[in-house]
Amino acid sequence: MTLTLQQLNSAAPAEALRLLDGLYEHSPWIAEQALAQRPFASLAALKHAMVTVLAHASVDAQLALIRAHPELAGKAMVSQSLTAESTNEQQKAGLTNCTPEELTHIQQLNARYIARFGFPFILAVRGPRGTGLPKREIIATVERRLGNPVDFERAECLRHIHRIAEIRLNDKFGFEPAVGNEVWDWHEDLARHSDPEFAERGELTVTYLTDAHRACAGDLVVRMRACGFDKVGIDAVGNVVGVYNAAPHPSPLPEGEGAKTLLTGSHFDTVRNGGKYDGRLGIFVPMACVKQLHAAGRRLPFAIEVVGFAEEEGQRYKATFLGSGALTGHFNPAWLDQQDADGVTMRDAMRHAGLPATLEAIGVLQRDPSKYLGFVEVHIEQGPVLNEMDLPLGVVTSINASVRYQCAAIGMASHAGTTPMNRRRDAASAVAELALYAEQRASADGDSVATIGMLQVPGGSINVVPGRCLFSLDLRAPSNAQRDALERDILAQLRAICERRGIGLTLEETMRAAAAPSAPDWQARWENAVTALGVPLHRMPSGAGHDAMKLHEVMPQAMLFVRGLNSGISHNPLESTTSDDMELCVNAFSHLLDQIASEHR
Ligand SMILES: [Zn+2]
């Protein structure tokens, strides 16, 4: 007998508690306190209620919960004294059939872990898809997490405990995130294509118009057709475009008054050694929605156009947002002559990919905004916020404004032994001083960020005072005005530092992007969708740039973020998200579609 929410909502308190037995290891108090918030509108709401209970508990209570867990592949497993739930989980991860060597290795890691943190290592071994992590991944995770600070690791254990409870709850309710699992599998499948060298190392890298990139495009075409899109094709810059037609209008309309189109999508290229979800999630989620519509034989009063953008990351050529830029009419003709690291021009790469490689063909990709309702984009957060708050979804308020500089500080190279401290013109120390100022200045805003991500002393040597220091500056803030103020202060400080230290300076602005605030009505639709799922609403700016930023120039846009695991790490193979969160995201997207449909009635 599987449990239903209605049963849980209507059960007497003692009975309700019994129904939730075993979710949190030897800790029924979490479910008990959460049950005070009945009735629950959804499983997601129940999960969040339990998260909130634990978040408000004392550190001692949190530690007691962590300590109530058995060690992975530890003595309790070997002596078969685990709870039924733990046995099932350790079994699914293959931990119950470790070789003696593996067992010894894991137990040594456990001992090191407990010596460092004072509590056992906790990992949701059934993993992001609920089907079990491979043993080697579990071992690599213990090794990696041994390096975390203690407070961070305690919080990470609690997040894994919530994930364990989520899976146990799904089991109790006989709930399987079937659509989320399918979307999760699509990512896994697409990730089998990777550029040479990276592929050999098992890393994911798909840069513009390489063979792996074209294979991805081919896969997307096949999958879009299978989902039931009416028109699927690859355009002149390599974007994969699928259109699901609107319902036919009951009566013939005058020319130009046909149904409008909702534009959505994201990119399928990756950074070098990137993650599987960055960009691709924003293509697959709406594809899953179209698949559902098609399976139900449903047409909406508007068309849905899903674009898998060919290029966003600017890895092979210095041309970020090339894919979405082609739709807004911002393809820079000079890009065609740009060469990659092997001297292949973009024009030749396009021809090799069977694309026309002419400005005329690219020009016609520009969309007429009057034919569109707007643009929405789903993306993995690529940051730690949702993960830390234990929230699956976040609604984006604005994509941050940014500006970037490549700079050089020019001092005087001199002997490290003979140049007294008060006679030096140390270029690296000047930049170091700026780095500390930039950190303080951005922190003072609360939501601005400043980064010196590149800092080198070209031709430097251990016994020479740095004569030159090359560095980058990346400044971002939620509004243009805030970004400009940040930029003004940091550049003024930089000039003052250089002046005081007798250092010369060159600055080259390499990028400037305006903030892209979400269109209020579109943001509200995402908010309605999230709320309807029983998920608490969290609004947040986007610190990263996205394709939505380009589309913002020509039509209203709004984005939805999905939580990333491992502190939201991105542009990294550890990037991850659960199939449960993907399922919620598909449901949110479907809800948004239904809202627009009902507005058309
Ligand atoms: Zn992205």
Side-chain angles (χ1 to χ4, degrees):
M1 262 300 279
T2 53
L3 186 58
T4 64
L5 258 187
Q6 199 206 341
Q7 259 175 305
L8 183 76
N9 283 333
S10 57
E15 173 63 5
L17 185 57
R18 197 192 60 76
L19 293 172
L20 294 187
D21 184 44
L23 287 184
Y24 287 87
E25 201 83 357
H26 307 295
S27 306
W29 58 273
I30 299 168
E32 187 173 15
Q33 289 182 34
L35 282 167
Q37 295 172 42
R38 284 188 295 168
F40 297 112
S42 65
L43 271 185
L46 166 57
K47 288 170 187 174
H48 189 74
M50 296 191 291
V51 164
T52 311
V53 167
L54 193 58
H56 290 109
S58 66
V59 170
D60 283 346
Q62 295 176 348
L63 282 171
L65 170 66
I66 297 174
R67 293 193 178 115
H69 283 73
E71 284 191 327
L72 277 187
K75 291 186 196 73
M77 188 195 83
V78 176
S79 68
Q80 304 190 331
S81 58
L82 297 174
T83 58
E85 290 85 356
S86 285
T87 305
N88 172 32
E89 286 148 10
Q90 302 215 9
Q91 218 161 30
K92 279 216 159 93
L95 291 171
T96 48
N97 57 27
C98 286
T99 63
E101 294 74 33
E102 285 171 334
L103 214 51
T104 310
H105 184 48
I106 295 177
Q107 287 173 358
Q108 280 167 352
L109 286 172
N110 275 335
R112 276 175 61 200
Y113 184 95
I114 205 149
R116 167 148 162 69
F117 297 109
F119 46 79
F121 172 74
I122 314 271
L123 174 70
V125 290
R126 280 179 61 184
R129 196 194 181 284
T131 35
L133 293 173
K135 259 183 289 191
R136 57 177 159 70
E137 197 173 328
I138 294 173
I139 292 169
T141 307
V142 194
E143 287 167 347
R144 175 168 51 81
R145 281 172 47 187
L146 269 167
N148 282 340
V150 178
D151 284 353
F152 177 88
E153 190 53 22
R154 189 182 69 234
E156 185 70 4
C157 283
L158 295 177
R159 287 190 282 272
H160 278 276
I161 287 172
H162 287 309
R163 173 63 183 155
I164 293 167
E166 173 169 58
I167 295 172
R168 290 179 179 179
L169 194 67
N170 288 351
D171 288 349
K172 272 184 189 297
F173 280 79
F175 168 75
E176 194 198 344
V179 176
N181 285 345
E182 184 176 28
V183 172
W184 201 93
D185 293 344
W186 289 351
H187 288 87
E188 206 60 22
D189 189 50
L190 196 65
R192 74 187 193 285
H193 304 297
S194 185
D195 289 351
E197 283 174 58
F198 297 93
E200 288 147 29
R201 291 197 293 268
E203 296 173 354
L204 176 64
T205 302
V206 176
T207 58
Y208 189 50
L209 296 183
T210 60
D211 290 347
H213 185 274
R214 291 162 57 209
C216 285
D219 273 21
L220 286 172
V221 166
V222 169
R223 205 173 291 289
M224 280 184 180
R225 289 207 176 108
C227 284
F229 282 81
D230 298 292
K231 282 176 286 201
V232 181
I234 297 178
D235 74 17
V237 295
N239 294 327
V240 181
V241 184
V243 178
Y244 187 65
N245 291 340
H249 201 272
S251 52
L253 288 168
E255 181 68 20
E257 281 186 24
K260 287 196 178 185
T261 298
L262 173 69
L263 191 62
T264 183
S266 193
H267 61 98
F268 64 91
D269 67 323
T270 75
V271 297
R272 297 193 168 82
N273 196 16
K276 295 172 187 164
Y277 309 97
D278 175 4
R280 293 154 179 217
L281 189 70
I283 308 169
F284 286 142
V285 164
M287 279 169 63
C289 294
V290 166
K291 186 181 177 197
Q292 287 176 335
L293 289 170
H294 180 254
R298 258 186 88 194
R299 294 277 171 187
L300 302 176
F302 54 93
I304 305 170
E305 182 173 345
V306 181
V307 185
F309 293 112
E311 204 288 333
E312 190 258 10
E313 301 282 11
Q315 299 282 307
R316 184 173 176 187
Y317 297 98
K318 283 193 177 60
T320 36
F321 302 109
L322 182 154
S324 44
L327 270 59
T328 58
H330 291 102
F331 185 92
N332 180 351
W335 286 344
L336 285 178
D337 296 310
Q338 228 187 82
Q339 294 180 6
D340 71 1
D342 298 323
V344 179
T345 63
M346 190 184 286
R347 182 180 286 105
D348 285 343
M350 284 179 160
R351 285 188 185 136
H352 178 70
L355 304 177
T358 64
L359 291 173
E360 296 71 56
I362 295 167
V364 300
L365 303 183
Q366 184 174 352
R367 300 298 195 267
D368 172 1
S370 72
K371 296 199 162 79
Y372 287 88
L373 296 166
F375 179 77
V376 288
E377 182 177 359
V378 163
H379 206 283
I380 188 164
E381 182 203 335
Q382 302 185 282
V385 176
L386 293 173
N387 188 54
E388 213 170 281
M389 298 178 77
D390 245 305
L391 290 174
L393 302 171
V395 176
V396 176
T397 51
S398 174
I399 303 171
N400 282 354
S402 57
V403 63
R404 287 184 185 162
Y405 287 94
Q406 290 291 348
C407 324
I410 301 117
M412 174 70 84
S414 56
H415 196 291
T418 61
T419 319
M421 295 310 286
N422 61 358
R423 288 183 172 80
R424 293 181 178 208
R425 286 160 59 204
D426 183 331
S429 293
V431 181
E433 199 181 329
L434 178 77
L436 294 178
Y437 172 78
E439 197 176 60
Q440 274 173 17
R441 173 61 184 80
S443 304
D445 280 352
D447 51 4
S448 293
V449 285
T451 309
I452 296 183
M454 294 156 81
L455 199 160
Q456 343 164 336
V457 177
S461 152
I462 194 165
N463 57 359
V464 177
V465 174
R468 255 163 77 82
C469 181
L470 305 181
F471 65 103
S472 60
L473 256 183
D474 178 305
L475 312 176
R476 309 184 196 207
S479 71
N480 294 347
Q482 190 175 321
R483 185 243 356 237
D484 293 346
L486 178 74
E487 178 189 15
R488 207 161 43 237
D489 288 357
I490 288 177
L491 292 186
Q493 187 71 12
L494 174 59
R495 291 197 176 94
I497 292 168
C498 289
E499 171 103 16
R500 172 159 43 76
R501 289 172 169 269
I503 304 280
L505 183 67
T506 64
L507 285 176
E508 188 199 345
E509 183 183 309
T510 52
M511 200 269 273
R512 178 177 296 266
S518 301
D521 51 337
W522 286 93
Q523 186 185 322
R525 289 186 187 102
W526 280 130
E527 293 177 4
N528 294 338
V530 169
T531 306
L533 296 174
V535 173
L537 179 59
H538 180 69
R539 301 181 181 96
M540 59 192 299
S542 169
H546 295 291
D547 291 300
M549 223 166 138
K550 278 317 284 183
L551 276 307
H552 179 84
E553 293 167 15
V554 296
M555 61 179 82
Q557 62 78 28
M559 293 186 70
L560 181 70
F561 275 168
V562 181
R563 150 173 63 189
L565 304 180
N566 303 320
S567 306
I569 191 164
S570 188
H571 289 182
N572 185 295
L574 286 173
E575 182 186 88
S576 182
T577 180
T578 67
S579 57
D580 283 87
D581 288 357
M582 287 185 185
E583 172 111 355
L584 285 171
C585 187
V586 172
N587 292 342
F589 204 106
S590 295
H591 194 277
L592 175 121
L593 295 177
D594 287 338
Q595 287 177 63
I596 312 169
S598 64
E599 290 159 18
H600 275 71
R601 264 180 216 119

